[in-house]
Amino acid sequence: MNAHVPLGRVPLPLKITSMVAAATALALSASGGNAATTSAGQQTGHGPAAGPPPRPCPVSGPSPQPRRTGSAGTGCSPAQGRIVANPAPRPIRPALPLSPAAPRGKRGATGLGDPYYPAAGNGGYDALDYDVALDYKRSRRIEATVTMTAKATQDLSGFSLDFRGPKVKDVLVNGRGAAFSRKGQELMITPAAGLPTGRTFTTQVRYAGSPGPLTNDRLGTYGWIPTREGVITVSEPDGTPSWMPVNDHPLDKATYTFRVTVPNGMQVIANGAPSTPVHEADTTTHTWSVRSPMASYLVMVAIGEFKELHGRAGDIPVITAVDPQYQSHAAKLHRNTITVTKWLTEKFGPYPFATSGGLIDDQRLGYALETQERPVYAGFVPSMNFVVHELAHQWFGNSVSIRRWSDIWLNEGLSTYAEWLWQEDRRRGNTAQKIFRRYYRQPADSVVFRPPPGRPGRRDLFGYSVYIRGAMTVHALRRRIGDEAFFRTLRAWNERYRYGNAQTDDFVALAEKESGKRLDRLFRVWLYTKGKPVNW
């Protein structure tokens, strides 16, 4: 994620999600005028090379002239201007009826024991796919049916989903009525018969009502967020259960299909690839399919009015959508997204997903989020640093996901370092080493250095140090092992753990394998030692 800090405000520990574009501007401006160019109305932070924690400050510059973008190319439906999903969304295959001899087992755990979010996720099964059928009314009320296909990982007498949304009407497991109750964020389900280990089963939850957003003094507003014309969902770290039942932890990634019915005149943008909309007398159903595993906090559905642009970054379809008030910036965002997608592919290896893109909606949340395949820029026009950061997450965080939230530096530090590499490649003389040095001149009590990014605590999960000191950790590694082993490590990371999960120990082991050097002290000093790192 990335925070968009309002003018004249000290950067508070709000959803400092990818706080980095502002943070990188801090380092750049400290060089004496080498600030990043920003879009009209864009704000980024900058501050002195030494002294108190950095304060945001506007930096602006000329915007490049828009140029014509490419068409969607092969696979584009001329009538609709949409890329047809390939393969088409597959129907949910009902599981076979259970035999009367199925074991009773025991209830799956309510929570996966994450140190920062112990109640997040649920045990006893592996979610494989979610089919989300949602009917959105102009009254902002929804009627929805979510069908999860999962595999039991133990003999189950019952299990849970994370859900803080509207009233549940009924629950079916393998087509049979199931008992359910709600306790806190848990939807606790007891099927009519036990589920044996290894059995694939379906769970269908029907519900209706008016979801609302979550608010937090550190995270801001997230989850199901009403906009001027409709709604948008941005959910890191635990916002998706505000509107749909899900196994809500990055460890349990799944594929998704969104079938969203809206009144005629409204549009739907979501993760993945779209199919041709189906029109009825008063409504239109839009289907978007995600065929690569996705962590639940990356789920994005936007309902409203949008200007869409379609193009390609090499072989990758690119879909850009903006709220009408930002339509004059649509071509620039589309062009930048294509440019950055190509550049990141050269740096880190093949793009991991079916489509790329971006979305600007009207809700001014002050941050961006790396929603899979289609990052959201919430109420502002992103500078190039924002685009680089959020698209870098497609490799670091989305394809390769963390195993626990305390390893968030792997997502944010590596994506921030992608910004430094962009500056190195595109801004003559502004190397990653120079950026590193500007930050290192900050005092030891600066938010750049505290808390240590490998153990930030839940309160500072998206604090400055996770981004900046996380990126400094990556640069320290690069300096120690050299460019050849460094870039080989990043490519191997994305190849080895593609569509899966990994943790800090895995990254350290891989870097040691690729470089042939002992690196435990370097990572211990940079990730876990309090204060300003020395002697690594």
Side-chain angles (χ1 to χ4, degrees), residues 56 101 113 225 274 374 392 404 439:
I225 304 171
R374 201 144 295 110
R404 56 191 179 191
Y439 280 126

Side-chain angles (χ1 to χ4, degrees), residues 333-523:
L333 175 59
H334 191 62
R335 183 173 66 250
N336 288 349
T337 298
I338 290 172
T339 298
V340 171
T341 301
K342 290 179 178 178
W343 177 80
L344 290 168
T345 298
E346 294 171 0
K347 286 291 181 186
F348 304 133
Y351 182 74
F353 302 119
T355 72
S356 184
L359 170 70
I360 305 177
D361 211 343
D362 68 356
Q363 187 59 269
R364 298 180 184 274
L365 300 178
Y367 62 84
L369 180 62
E370 62 268 23
T371 43
Q372 191 157 307
E373 303 185 45
R374 201 144 295 110
V376 171
Y377 309 99
F380 67 96
V381 179
S383 69
M384 190 62 113
N385 278 341
F386 270 90
V387 176
V388 170
H389 186 101
E390 303 310 326
L391 287 177
H393 271 304
Q394 306 308 309
W395 285 260
F396 304 113
N398 295 10
S399 176
V400 182
S401 300
I402 53 177
R403 294 185 59 82
R404 56 191 179 191
W405 282 107
S406 58
D407 284 321
I408 190 66
W409 83 273
L410 284 168
N411 296 1
E412 303 301 348
L414 285 161
S415 295
T416 301
Y417 197 70
E419 294 184 55
W420 297 14
L421 292 173
W422 174 265
Q423 295 296 325
E424 188 170 83
D425 278 8
R426 301 302 175 109
R427 295 179 66 86
R428 190 172 181 177
N430 196 32
T431 64
Q433 175 66 6
K434 288 183 178 179
I435 298 172
F436 176 92
R437 286 175 176 170
R438 291 169 206 146
Y439 280 126
Y440 195 75
R441 289 197 293 265
Q442 293 285 317
D445 62 351
S446 167
V447 292
V448 165
F449 297 118
R450 58 180 177 85
R455 198 177 289 122
R458 176 168 170 167
R459 181 173 174 80
D460 291 308
L461 193 62
F462 300 108
Y464 268 103
S465 64
V466 170
Y467 294 80
I468 303 171
R469 186 168 160 178
M472 295 174 81
T473 303
V474 178
H475 187 69
L477 171 66
R478 180 185 177 188
R479 296 278 292 179
R480 174 65 58 82
I481 67 177
D483 278 12
E484 184 177 346
F486 173 76
F487 286 105
R488 191 168 63 240
T489 297
L490 297 188
R491 284 176 167 265
W493 178 253
N494 283 291
E495 182 178 335
R496 176 173 298 189
Y497 296 105
R498 185 180 179 98
Y499 305 140
N501 299 81
Q503 57 192 0
T504 297
D505 288 349
D506 298 321
F507 188 77
V508 175
L510 182 61
E512 290 185 334
K513 176 179 180 293
E514 294 296 332
S515 68
K517 295 186 177 182
R518 288 288 301 275
L519 300 168
D520 53 333
R521 178 175 176 79
L522 182 150
F523 283 102

